[in-house]
Amino acid sequence: MKRIAVFSTLFMLYVTGCSTGSIMPESPSEDVLRAAEAGLEEFAPMLNDLYNEPLSVRPERCTLGFAFRIYTIDPHKLINQADPDISAITLPIDTWRFAVVSDGTPIALLTVEKRNGEYKAVGIGATGLAKEMSWVYQDLQPKAYNLRFVRIYQATSDIIEATDTSTHSIQYAPLTSARISLGLDDPVIRSYSRGVIRNALISNEKTASALKGVVANALAD
């Protein structure tokens, strides 16, 4: 299986057999990459058994595509600050996800976590999120955004922080989990496709407002 190429930017997106870089704040380290490569060898043969509808994947032809680190937020700062700046309370965690690419199409995500001081691939799946993220990178890259994937565990929500590299303004793209969990679901953008995501970005204020109540309720339970 082909080794992922390391560029100065974090992402490499495979589309119709071609790759294009995206602007990202950091790249996976060599130990993270080694863990991903080993994980691809281990988990790719399982892809055809993961879903009700067979994927007809040839494991030996699978490659690693785009990669992203998982970030989260400090939930207490979110609910205790009057006007929280989500970006300022966002923190990285020791988890990365790599797209598994078959014939130019991202079909799953490989998860790499740090356990007992070492990075290790721990699972594969999330076909829907892999597809959704591929649209995110295609749609926002031409607009020159810095992107961070933020998972708010208390709200069961994934959002993309998008920083415009020209204006440094920050907006958020709520992914499917967030649109449903936070009541932001809109039939018009329920299924992301190219050209839709850039028009679905929302402000820090709207994002924080939607998150606050859900997170507060989760912490109170």
Side-chain angles (χ1 to χ4, degrees), residues 142-180:
K143 300 283 285 184
Y145 286 102
N146 284 330
L147 306 177
R148 295 197 295 185
F149 180 99
V150 185
R151 171 158 287 177
I152 301 93
Y153 294 95
Q154 298 80 5
T156 320
S157 297
D158 296 330
I159 59 177
I160 300 297
E161 178 191 277
T163 303
D164 190 301
T165 56
S166 297
T167 65
H168 305 294
S169 62
I170 299 175
Q171 294 179 290
Y172 292 90
L175 300 184
T176 298
S177 59
R179 295 200 310 274
I180 295 173

PDB file of all heavy atoms in Angstrom, residues 142-180:
ATOM      1  N   PRO A 142     -10.411  26.510  -2.146  1.00  0.00           N
ATOM      2  CA  PRO A 142     -10.226  27.605  -3.099  1.00  0.00           C
ATOM      3  C   PRO A 142     -10.389  28.988  -2.468  1.00  0.00           C
ATOM      4  O   PRO A 142      -9.924  29.979  -3.021  1.00  0.00           O
ATOM      5  CB  PRO A 142     -11.315  27.345  -4.143  1.00  0.00           C
ATOM      6  CG  PRO A 142     -11.617  25.892  -4.026  1.00  0.00           C
ATOM      7  CD  PRO A 142     -11.469  25.591  -2.571  1.00  0.00           C
ATOM      8  N   LYS A 143     -11.061  29.048  -1.322  1.00  0.00           N
ATOM      9  CA  LYS A 143     -11.252  30.321  -0.639  1.00  0.00           C
ATOM     10  C   LYS A 143     -10.105  30.627   0.325  1.00  0.00           C
ATOM     11  O   LYS A 143     -10.133  31.625   1.035  1.00  0.00           O
ATOM     12  CB  LYS A 143     -12.568  30.292   0.145  1.00  0.00           C
ATOM     13  CG  LYS A 143     -13.795  30.060  -0.723  1.00  0.00           C
ATOM     14  CD  LYS A 143     -14.186  31.312  -1.470  1.00  0.00           C
ATOM     15  CE  LYS A 143     -14.841  32.302  -0.535  1.00  0.00           C
ATOM     16  NZ  LYS A 143     -15.339  33.499  -1.230  1.00  0.00           N
ATOM     17  N   ALA A 144      -9.088  29.755   0.341  1.00  0.00           N
ATOM     18  CA  ALA A 144      -7.895  29.966   1.167  1.00  0.00           C
ATOM     19  C   ALA A 144      -8.226  30.068   2.650  1.00  0.00           C
ATOM     20  O   ALA A 144      -7.983  31.083   3.297  1.00  0.00           O
ATOM     21  CB  ALA A 144      -7.126  31.198   0.696  1.00  0.00           C
ATOM     22  N   TYR A 145      -8.775  28.994   3.182  1.00  0.00           N
ATOM     23  CA  TYR A 145      -9.096  28.927   4.602  1.00  0.00           C
ATOM     24  C   TYR A 145      -8.087  28.048   5.336  1.00  0.00           C
ATOM     25  O   TYR A 145      -7.602  27.057   4.789  1.00  0.00           O
ATOM     26  CB  TYR A 145     -10.481  28.303   4.818  1.00  0.00           C
ATOM     27  CG  TYR A 145     -11.640  29.192   4.461  1.00  0.00           C
ATOM     28  CD1 TYR A 145     -12.329  29.012   3.264  1.00  0.00           C
ATOM     29  CD2 TYR A 145     -12.073  30.189   5.330  1.00  0.00           C
ATOM     30  CE1 TYR A 145     -13.421  29.807   2.935  1.00  0.00           C
ATOM     31  CE2 TYR A 145     -13.168  30.991   5.004  1.00  0.00           C
ATOM     32  CZ  TYR A 145     -13.830  30.791   3.815  1.00  0.00           C
ATOM     33  OH  TYR A 145     -14.906  31.573   3.494  1.00  0.00           O
ATOM     34  N   ASN A 146      -7.802  28.406   6.578  1.00  0.00           N
ATOM     35  CA  ASN A 146      -7.196  27.470   7.514  1.00  0.00           C
ATOM     36  C   ASN A 146      -8.342  26.745   8.202  1.00  0.00           C
ATOM     37  O   ASN A 146      -9.298  27.376   8.662  1.00  0.00           O
ATOM     38  CB  ASN A 146      -6.347  28.202   8.567  1.00  0.00           C
ATOM     39  CG  ASN A 146      -5.016  28.655   7.997  1.00  0.00           C
ATOM     40  OD1 ASN A 146      -4.470  28.030   7.096  1.00  0.00           O
ATOM     41  ND2 ASN A 146      -4.500  29.752   8.519  1.00  0.00           N
ATOM     42  N   LEU A 147      -8.238  25.408   8.278  1.00  0.00           N
ATOM     43  CA  LEU A 147      -9.341  24.613   8.795  1.00  0.00           C
ATOM     44  C   LEU A 147      -8.918  23.805  10.019  1.00  0.00           C
ATOM     45  O   LEU A 147      -7.801  23.307  10.088  1.00  0.00           O
ATOM     46  CB  LEU A 147      -9.847  23.637   7.727  1.00  0.00           C
ATOM     47  CG  LEU A 147     -10.242  24.235   6.378  1.00  0.00           C
ATOM     48  CD1 LEU A 147     -10.645  23.120   5.420  1.00  0.00           C
ATOM     49  CD2 LEU A 147     -11.363  25.247   6.539  1.00  0.00           C
ATOM     50  N   ARG A 148      -9.840  23.696  10.995  1.00  0.00           N
ATOM     51  CA  ARG A 148      -9.643  22.790  12.124  1.00  0.00           C
ATOM     52  C   ARG A 148     -10.940  22.023  12.363  1.00  0.00           C
ATOM     53  O   ARG A 148     -12.030  22.603  12.324  1.00  0.00           O
ATOM     54  CB  ARG A 148      -9.246  23.546  13.405  1.00  0.00           C
ATOM     55  CG  ARG A 148      -7.907  24.224  13.318  1.00  0.00           C
ATOM     56  CD  ARG A 148      -7.339  24.596  14.688  1.00  0.00           C
ATOM     57  NE  ARG A 148      -8.140  25.596  15.399  1.00  0.00           N
ATOM     58  CZ  ARG A 148      -7.768  26.134  16.560  1.00  0.00           C
ATOM     59  NH1 ARG A 148      -6.622  25.753  17.147  1.00  0.00           N
ATOM     60  NH2 ARG A 148      -8.529  27.051  17.154  1.00  0.00           N
ATOM     61  N   PHE A 149     -10.793  20.733  12.596  1.00  0.00           N
ATOM     62  CA  PHE A 149     -11.937  19.870  12.884  1.00  0.00           C
ATOM     63  C   PHE A 149     -12.126  19.867  14.396  1.00  0.00           C
ATOM     64  O   PHE A 149     -11.231  19.463  15.147  1.00  0.00           O
ATOM     65  CB  PHE A 149     -11.658  18.457  12.381  1.00  0.00           C
ATOM     66  CG  PHE A 149     -12.767  17.468  12.621  1.00  0.00           C
ATOM     67  CD1 PHE A 149     -13.655  17.147  11.601  1.00  0.00           C
ATOM     68  CD2 PHE A 149     -12.919  16.854  13.856  1.00  0.00           C
ATOM     69  CE1 PHE A 149     -14.674  16.222  11.823  1.00  0.00           C
ATOM     70  CE2 PHE A 149     -13.935  15.934  14.076  1.00  0.00           C
ATOM     71  CZ  PHE A 149     -14.810  15.620  13.055  1.00  0.00           C
ATOM     72  N   VAL A 150     -13.285  20.336  14.855  1.00  0.00           N
ATOM     73  CA  VAL A 150     -13.542  20.471  16.290  1.00  0.00           C
ATOM     74  C   VAL A 150     -14.698  19.557  16.672  1.00  0.00           C
ATOM     75  O   VAL A 150     -15.805  19.678  16.141  1.00  0.00           O
ATOM     76  CB  VAL A 150     -13.884  21.930  16.669  1.00  0.00           C
ATOM     77  CG1 VAL A 150     -14.028  22.059  18.185  1.00  0.00           C
ATOM     78  CG2 VAL A 150     -12.818  22.890  16.141  1.00  0.00           C
ATOM     79  N   ARG A 151     -14.429  18.659  17.614  1.00  0.00           N
ATOM     80  CA  ARG A 151     -15.465  17.741  18.106  1.00  0.00           C
ATOM     81  C   ARG A 151     -15.868  18.166  19.511  1.00  0.00           C
ATOM     82  O   ARG A 151     -15.033  18.197  20.424  1.00  0.00           O
ATOM     83  CB  ARG A 151     -14.951  16.305  18.087  1.00  0.00           C
ATOM     84  CG  ARG A 151     -15.859  15.293  18.772  1.00  0.00           C
ATOM     85  CD  ARG A 151     -15.591  13.889  18.285  1.00  0.00           C
ATOM     86  NE  ARG A 151     -16.115  13.706  16.913  1.00  0.00           N
ATOM     87  CZ  ARG A 151     -15.970  12.582  16.222  1.00  0.00           C
ATOM     88  NH1 ARG A 151     -15.328  11.559  16.739  1.00  0.00           N
ATOM     89  NH2 ARG A 151     -16.480  12.494  14.995  1.00  0.00           N
ATOM     90  N   ILE A 152     -17.132  18.496  19.684  1.00  0.00           N
ATOM     91  CA  ILE A 152     -17.652  18.863  21.000  1.00  0.00           C
ATOM     92  C   ILE A 152     -18.371  17.641  21.550  1.00  0.00           C
ATOM     93  O   ILE A 152     -19.515  17.342  21.180  1.00  0.00           O
ATOM     94  CB  ILE A 152     -18.594  20.080  20.927  1.00  0.00           C
ATOM     95  CG1 ILE A 152     -17.861  21.283  20.340  1.00  0.00           C
ATOM     96  CG2 ILE A 152     -19.094  20.440  22.314  1.00  0.00           C
ATOM     97  CD1 ILE A 152     -18.004  21.443  18.850  1.00  0.00           C
ATOM     98  N   TYR A 153     -17.680  16.920  22.420  1.00  0.00           N
ATOM     99  CA  TYR A 153     -18.194  15.635  22.895  1.00  0.00           C
ATOM    100  C   TYR A 153     -19.497  15.797  23.668  1.00  0.00           C
ATOM    101  O   TYR A 153     -20.407  14.964  23.548  1.00  0.00           O
ATOM    102  CB  TYR A 153     -17.135  14.941  23.758  1.00  0.00           C
ATOM    103  CG  TYR A 153     -15.914  14.537  22.971  1.00  0.00           C
ATOM    104  CD1 TYR A 153     -14.787  15.362  22.906  1.00  0.00           C
ATOM    105  CD2 TYR A 153     -15.887  13.341  22.272  1.00  0.00           C
ATOM    106  CE1 TYR A 153     -13.673  14.991  22.174  1.00  0.00           C
ATOM    107  CE2 TYR A 153     -14.778  12.959  21.528  1.00  0.00           C
ATOM    108  CZ  TYR A 153     -13.673  13.792  21.480  1.00  0.00           C
ATOM    109  OH  TYR A 153     -12.571  13.431  20.743  1.00  0.00           O
ATOM    110  N   GLN A 154     -19.591  16.848  24.472  1.00  0.00           N
ATOM    111  CA  GLN A 154     -20.782  17.041  25.299  1.00  0.00           C
ATOM    112  C   GLN A 154     -22.024  17.327  24.456  1.00  0.00           C
ATOM    113  O   GLN A 154     -23.151  17.172  24.927  1.00  0.00           O
ATOM    114  CB  GLN A 154     -20.570  18.175  26.299  1.00  0.00           C
ATOM    115  CG  GLN A 154     -19.457  17.946  27.304  1.00  0.00           C
ATOM    116  CD  GLN A 154     -18.078  18.238  26.736  1.00  0.00           C
ATOM    117  OE1 GLN A 154     -17.928  18.710  25.601  1.00  0.00           O
ATOM    118  NE2 GLN A 154     -17.055  17.972  27.520  1.00  0.00           N
ATOM    119  N   ALA A 155     -21.836  17.760  23.221  1.00  0.00           N
ATOM    120  CA  ALA A 155     -22.964  18.089  22.347  1.00  0.00           C
ATOM    121  C   ALA A 155     -23.103  17.111  21.182  1.00  0.00           C
ATOM    122  O   ALA A 155     -23.954  17.305  20.312  1.00  0.00           O
ATOM    123  CB  ALA A 155     -22.807  19.507  21.795  1.00  0.00           C
ATOM    124  N   THR A 156     -22.252  16.076  21.171  1.00  0.00           N
ATOM    125  CA  THR A 156     -22.261  15.112  20.068  1.00  0.00           C
ATOM    126  C   THR A 156     -22.242  15.840  18.729  1.00  0.00           C
ATOM    127  O   THR A 156     -23.042  15.564  17.831  1.00  0.00           O
ATOM    128  CB  THR A 156     -23.494  14.178  20.147  1.00  0.00           C
ATOM    129  OG1 THR A 156     -23.742  13.822  21.515  1.00  0.00           O
ATOM    130  CG2 THR A 156     -23.254  12.907  19.351  1.00  0.00           C
ATOM    131  N   SER A 157     -21.322  16.786  18.612  1.00  0.00           N
ATOM    132  CA  SER A 157     -21.311  17.672  17.447  1.00  0.00           C
ATOM    133  C   SER A 157     -19.899  17.845  16.888  1.00  0.00           C
ATOM    134  O   SER A 157     -18.944  18.026  17.644  1.00  0.00           O
ATOM    135  CB  SER A 157     -21.852  19.056  17.828  1.00  0.00           C
ATOM    136  OG  SER A 157     -23.191  18.977  18.246  1.00  0.00           O
ATOM    137  N   ASP A 158     -19.806  17.794  15.570  1.00  0.00           N
ATOM    138  CA  ASP A 158     -18.562  18.097  14.863  1.00  0.00           C
ATOM    139  C   ASP A 158     -18.755  19.377  14.071  1.00  0.00           C
ATOM    140  O   ASP A 158     -19.751  19.531  13.351  1.00  0.00           O
ATOM    141  CB  ASP A 158     -18.188  16.968  13.898  1.00  0.00           C
ATOM    142  CG  ASP A 158     -17.897  15.661  14.616  1.00  0.00           C
ATOM    143  OD1 ASP A 158     -17.435  15.703  15.775  1.00  0.00           O
ATOM    144  OD2 ASP A 158     -18.128  14.587  14.006  1.00  0.00           O
ATOM    145  N   ILE A 159     -17.794  20.293  14.204  1.00  0.00           N
ATOM    146  CA  ILE A 159     -17.838  21.536  13.439  1.00  0.00           C
ATOM    147  C   ILE A 159     -16.465  21.775  12.816  1.00  0.00           C
ATOM    148  O   ILE A 159     -15.451  21.285  13.312  1.00  0.00           O
ATOM    149  CB  ILE A 159     -18.239  22.750  14.307  1.00  0.00           C
ATOM    150  CG1 ILE A 159     -17.244  22.951  15.464  1.00  0.00           C
ATOM    151  CG2 ILE A 159     -19.655  22.585  14.844  1.00  0.00           C
ATOM    152  CD1 ILE A 159     -17.531  24.178  16.321  1.00  0.00           C
ATOM    153  N   ILE A 160     -16.452  22.519  11.734  1.00  0.00           N
ATOM    154  CA  ILE A 160     -15.206  22.917  11.091  1.00  0.00           C
ATOM    155  C   ILE A 160     -14.972  24.401  11.349  1.00  0.00           C
ATOM    156  O   ILE A 160     -15.830  25.238  11.027  1.00  0.00           O
ATOM    157  CB  ILE A 160     -15.241  22.679   9.569  1.00  0.00           C
ATOM    158  CG1 ILE A 160     -15.458  21.194   9.261  1.00  0.00           C
ATOM    159  CG2 ILE A 160     -13.948  23.175   8.920  1.00  0.00           C
ATOM    160  CD1 ILE A 160     -14.369  20.275   9.747  1.00  0.00           C
ATOM    161  N   GLU A 161     -13.853  24.715  11.969  1.00  0.00           N
ATOM    162  CA  GLU A 161     -13.449  26.108  12.142  1.00  0.00           C
ATOM    163  C   GLU A 161     -12.721  26.551  10.871  1.00  0.00           C
ATOM    164  O   GLU A 161     -11.736  25.937  10.473  1.00  0.00           O
ATOM    165  CB  GLU A 161     -12.517  26.240  13.342  1.00  0.00           C
ATOM    166  CG  GLU A 161     -12.003  27.658  13.568  1.00  0.00           C
ATOM    167  CD  GLU A 161     -10.888  27.681  14.596  1.00  0.00           C
ATOM    168  OE1 GLU A 161     -11.183  27.701  15.797  1.00  0.00           O
ATOM    169  OE2 GLU A 161      -9.702  27.664  14.177  1.00  0.00           O
ATOM    170  N   ALA A 162     -13.224  27.571  10.234  1.00  0.00           N
ATOM    171  CA  ALA A 162     -12.665  28.056   8.967  1.00  0.00           C
ATOM    172  C   ALA A 162     -12.174  29.489   9.137  1.00  0.00           C
ATOM    173  O   ALA A 162     -12.979  30.402   9.321  1.00  0.00           O
ATOM    174  CB  ALA A 162     -13.717  27.982   7.864  1.00  0.00           C
ATOM    175  N   THR A 163     -10.854  29.667   9.080  1.00  0.00           N
ATOM    176  CA  THR A 163     -10.254  30.990   9.224  1.00  0.00           C
ATOM    177  C   THR A 163      -9.824  31.498   7.858  1.00  0.00           C
ATOM    178  O   THR A 163      -8.998  30.868   7.188  1.00  0.00           O
ATOM    179  CB  THR A 163      -9.040  30.951  10.161  1.00  0.00           C
ATOM    180  OG1 THR A 163      -9.431  30.424  11.431  1.00  0.00           O
ATOM    181  CG2 THR A 163      -8.453  32.342  10.356  1.00  0.00           C
ATOM    182  N   ASP A 164     -10.373  32.611   7.443  1.00  0.00           N
ATOM    183  CA  ASP A 164      -9.998  33.224   6.171  1.00  0.00           C
ATOM    184  C   ASP A 164      -8.575  33.753   6.290  1.00  0.00           C
ATOM    185  O   ASP A 164      -8.290  34.578   7.160  1.00  0.00           O
ATOM    186  CB  ASP A 164     -10.958  34.357   5.826  1.00  0.00           C
ATOM    187  CG  ASP A 164     -10.777  34.871   4.415  1.00  0.00           C
ATOM    188  OD1 ASP A 164      -9.659  35.330   4.102  1.00  0.00           O
ATOM    189  OD2 ASP A 164     -11.747  34.846   3.642  1.00  0.00           O
ATOM    190  N   THR A 165      -7.671  33.277   5.442  1.00  0.00           N
ATOM    191  CA  THR A 165      -6.270  33.663   5.570  1.00  0.00           C
ATOM    192  C   THR A 165      -6.013  35.104   5.134  1.00  0.00           C
ATOM    193  O   THR A 165      -4.958  35.652   5.433  1.00  0.00           O
ATOM    194  CB  THR A 165      -5.371  32.728   4.749  1.00  0.00           C
ATOM    195  OG1 THR A 165      -5.802  32.725   3.381  1.00  0.00           O
ATOM    196  CG2 THR A 165      -5.427  31.317   5.301  1.00  0.00           C
ATOM    197  N   SER A 166      -6.948  35.711   4.464  1.00  0.00           N
ATOM    198  CA  SER A 166      -6.778  37.113   4.059  1.00  0.00           C
ATOM    199  C   SER A 166      -7.302  38.074   5.114  1.00  0.00           C
ATOM    200  O   SER A 166      -6.632  39.035   5.500  1.00  0.00           O
ATOM    201  CB  SER A 166      -7.501  37.374   2.732  1.00  0.00           C
ATOM    202  OG  SER A 166      -6.958  36.603   1.691  1.00  0.00           O
ATOM    203  N   THR A 167      -8.494  37.793   5.628  1.00  0.00           N
ATOM    204  CA  THR A 167      -9.128  38.702   6.587  1.00  0.00           C
ATOM    205  C   THR A 167      -8.961  38.245   8.034  1.00  0.00           C
ATOM    206  O   THR A 167      -9.206  39.014   8.957  1.00  0.00           O
ATOM    207  CB  THR A 167     -10.633  38.815   6.298  1.00  0.00           C
ATOM    208  OG1 THR A 167     -11.255  37.537   6.535  1.00  0.00           O
ATOM    209  CG2 THR A 167     -10.881  39.229   4.850  1.00  0.00           C
ATOM    210  N   HIS A 168      -8.549  36.968   8.204  1.00  0.00           N
ATOM    211  CA  HIS A 168      -8.405  36.347   9.538  1.00  0.00           C
ATOM    212  C   HIS A 168      -9.741  36.232  10.275  1.00  0.00           C
ATOM    213  O   HIS A 168      -9.752  35.956  11.476  1.00  0.00           O
ATOM    214  CB  HIS A 168      -7.388  37.120  10.393  1.00  0.00           C
ATOM    215  CG  HIS A 168      -6.053  37.269   9.755  1.00  0.00           C
ATOM    216  ND1 HIS A 168      -5.216  36.183   9.501  1.00  0.00           N
ATOM    217  CD2 HIS A 168      -5.404  38.355   9.272  1.00  0.00           C
ATOM    218  CE1 HIS A 168      -4.117  36.606   8.916  1.00  0.00           C
ATOM    219  NE2 HIS A 168      -4.196  37.919   8.751  1.00  0.00           N
ATOM    220  N   SER A 169     -10.831  36.421   9.586  1.00  0.00           N
ATOM    221  CA  SER A 169     -12.141  36.228  10.199  1.00  0.00           C
ATOM    222  C   SER A 169     -12.406  34.728  10.332  1.00  0.00           C
ATOM    223  O   SER A 169     -11.947  33.926   9.517  1.00  0.00           O
ATOM    224  CB  SER A 169     -13.235  36.879   9.361  1.00  0.00           C
ATOM    225  OG  SER A 169     -13.294  36.290   8.071  1.00  0.00           O
ATOM    226  N   ILE A 170     -13.135  34.365  11.371  1.00  0.00           N
ATOM    227  CA  ILE A 170     -13.404  32.959  11.656  1.00  0.00           C
ATOM    228  C   ILE A 170     -14.901  32.693  11.579  1.00  0.00           C
ATOM    229  O   ILE A 170     -15.705  33.417  12.161  1.00  0.00           O
ATOM    230  CB  ILE A 170     -12.879  32.563  13.053  1.00  0.00           C
ATOM    231  CG1 ILE A 170     -11.357  32.755  13.126  1.00  0.00           C
ATOM    232  CG2 ILE A 170     -13.242  31.117  13.375  1.00  0.00           C
ATOM    233  CD1 ILE A 170     -10.783  32.503  14.511  1.00  0.00           C
ATOM    234  N   GLN A 171     -15.250  31.653  10.849  1.00  0.00           N
ATOM    235  CA  GLN A 171     -16.622  31.173  10.788  1.00  0.00           C
ATOM    236  C   GLN A 171     -16.614  29.661  10.981  1.00  0.00           C
ATOM    237  O   GLN A 171     -15.546  29.032  10.991  1.00  0.00           O
ATOM    238  CB  GLN A 171     -17.282  31.546   9.454  1.00  0.00           C
ATOM    239  CG  GLN A 171     -17.492  33.039   9.245  1.00  0.00           C
ATOM    240  CD  GLN A 171     -18.118  33.332   7.898  1.00  0.00           C
ATOM    241  OE1 GLN A 171     -17.494  33.184   6.862  1.00  0.00           O
ATOM    242  NE2 GLN A 171     -19.385  33.745   7.917  1.00  0.00           N
ATOM    243  N   TYR A 172     -17.800  29.092  11.111  1.00  0.00           N
ATOM    244  CA  TYR A 172     -17.896  27.665  11.394  1.00  0.00           C
ATOM    245  C   TYR A 172     -18.857  26.974  10.439  1.00  0.00           C
ATOM    246  O   TYR A 172     -19.901  27.523  10.086  1.00  0.00           O
ATOM    247  CB  TYR A 172     -18.343  27.442  12.846  1.00  0.00           C
ATOM    248  CG  TYR A 172     -17.282  27.876  13.830  1.00  0.00           C
ATOM    249  CD1 TYR A 172     -17.252  29.179  14.310  1.00  0.00           C
ATOM    250  CD2 TYR A 172     -16.281  27.000  14.229  1.00  0.00           C
ATOM    251  CE1 TYR A 172     -16.253  29.599  15.179  1.00  0.00           C
ATOM    252  CE2 TYR A 172     -15.279  27.402  15.107  1.00  0.00           C
ATOM    253  CZ  TYR A 172     -15.272  28.704  15.572  1.00  0.00           C
ATOM    254  OH  TYR A 172     -14.277  29.110  16.426  1.00  0.00           O
ATOM    255  N   ALA A 173     -18.466  25.776  10.045  1.00  0.00           N
ATOM    256  CA  ALA A 173     -19.336  24.921   9.239  1.00  0.00           C
ATOM    257  C   ALA A 173     -19.796  23.767  10.113  1.00  0.00           C
ATOM    258  O   ALA A 173     -19.000  22.884  10.448  1.00  0.00           O
ATOM    259  CB  ALA A 173     -18.590  24.384   8.023  1.00  0.00           C
ATOM    260  N   PRO A 174     -21.048  23.764  10.553  1.00  0.00           N
ATOM    261  CA  PRO A 174     -21.547  22.637  11.337  1.00  0.00           C
ATOM    262  C   PRO A 174     -21.734  21.416  10.443  1.00  0.00           C
ATOM    263  O   PRO A 174     -22.415  21.494   9.413  1.00  0.00           O
ATOM    264  CB  PRO A 174     -22.884  23.144  11.883  1.00  0.00           C
ATOM    265  CG  PRO A 174     -23.313  24.199  10.911  1.00  0.00           C
ATOM    266  CD  PRO A 174     -22.058  24.810  10.356  1.00  0.00           C
ATOM    267  N   LEU A 175     -21.123  20.307  10.817  1.00  0.00           N
ATOM    268  CA  LEU A 175     -21.298  19.088  10.050  1.00  0.00           C
ATOM    269  C   LEU A 175     -22.631  18.441  10.426  1.00  0.00           C
ATOM    270  O   LEU A 175     -23.374  18.947  11.260  1.00  0.00           O
ATOM    271  CB  LEU A 175     -20.123  18.146  10.287  1.00  0.00           C
ATOM    272  CG  LEU A 175     -18.745  18.710   9.889  1.00  0.00           C
ATOM    273  CD1 LEU A 175     -17.657  17.657  10.064  1.00  0.00           C
ATOM    274  CD2 LEU A 175     -18.745  19.247   8.462  1.00  0.00           C
ATOM    275  N   THR A 176     -22.945  17.330   9.792  1.00  0.00           N
ATOM    276  CA  THR A 176     -24.265  16.731   9.963  1.00  0.00           C
ATOM    277  C   THR A 176     -24.606  16.488  11.429  1.00  0.00           C
ATOM    278  O   THR A 176     -25.723  16.785  11.885  1.00  0.00           O
ATOM    279  CB  THR A 176     -24.338  15.410   9.189  1.00  0.00           C
ATOM    280  OG1 THR A 176     -24.164  15.674   7.796  1.00  0.00           O
ATOM    281  CG2 THR A 176     -25.678  14.725   9.397  1.00  0.00           C
ATOM    282  N   SER A 177     -23.644  15.963  12.192  1.00  0.00           N
ATOM    283  CA  SER A 177     -23.918  15.679  13.608  1.00  0.00           C
ATOM    284  C   SER A 177     -24.308  16.943  14.352  1.00  0.00           C
ATOM    285  O   SER A 177     -25.234  16.936  15.173  1.00  0.00           O
ATOM    286  CB  SER A 177     -22.675  15.053  14.260  1.00  0.00           C
ATOM    287  OG  SER A 177     -21.562  15.933  14.160  1.00  0.00           O
ATOM    288  N   ALA A 178     -23.615  18.052  14.073  1.00  0.00           N
ATOM    289  CA  ALA A 178     -23.912  19.318  14.763  1.00  0.00           C
ATOM    290  C   ALA A 178     -25.232  19.911  14.291  1.00  0.00           C
ATOM    291  O   ALA A 178     -26.000  20.449  15.097  1.00  0.00           O
ATOM    292  CB  ALA A 178     -22.777  20.311  14.537  1.00  0.00           C
ATOM    293  N   ARG A 179     -25.520  19.840  13.009  1.00  0.00           N
ATOM    294  CA  ARG A 179     -26.759  20.422  12.506  1.00  0.00           C
ATOM    295  C   ARG A 179     -27.974  19.742  13.134  1.00  0.00           C
ATOM    296  O   ARG A 179     -28.980  20.376  13.414  1.00  0.00           O
ATOM    297  CB  ARG A 179     -26.812  20.318  10.976  1.00  0.00           C
ATOM    298  CG  ARG A 179     -25.737  21.134  10.281  1.00  0.00           C
ATOM    299  CD  ARG A 179     -26.089  21.416   8.835  1.00  0.00           C
ATOM    300  NE  ARG A 179     -26.473  20.242   8.091  1.00  0.00           N
ATOM    301  CZ  ARG A 179     -25.619  19.424   7.474  1.00  0.00           C
ATOM    302  NH1 ARG A 179     -24.331  19.659   7.546  1.00  0.00           N
ATOM    303  NH2 ARG A 179     -26.057  18.387   6.796  1.00  0.00           N
ATOM    304  N   ILE A 180     -27.848  18.445  13.384  1.00  0.00           N
ATOM    305  CA  ILE A 180     -28.959  17.715  13.997  1.00  0.00           C
ATOM    306  C   ILE A 180     -28.993  17.949  15.507  1.00  0.00           C
ATOM    307  O   ILE A 180     -30.022  18.300  16.073  1.00  0.00           O
ATOM    308  CB  ILE A 180     -28.841  16.217  13.671  1.00  0.00           C
ATOM    309  CG1 ILE A 180     -29.014  15.981  12.172  1.00  0.00           C
ATOM    310  CG2 ILE A 180     -29.874  15.425  14.464  1.00  0.00           C
ATOM    311  CD1 ILE A 180     -28.747  14.564  11.728  1.00  0.00           C
TER     312      ILE A 180
END
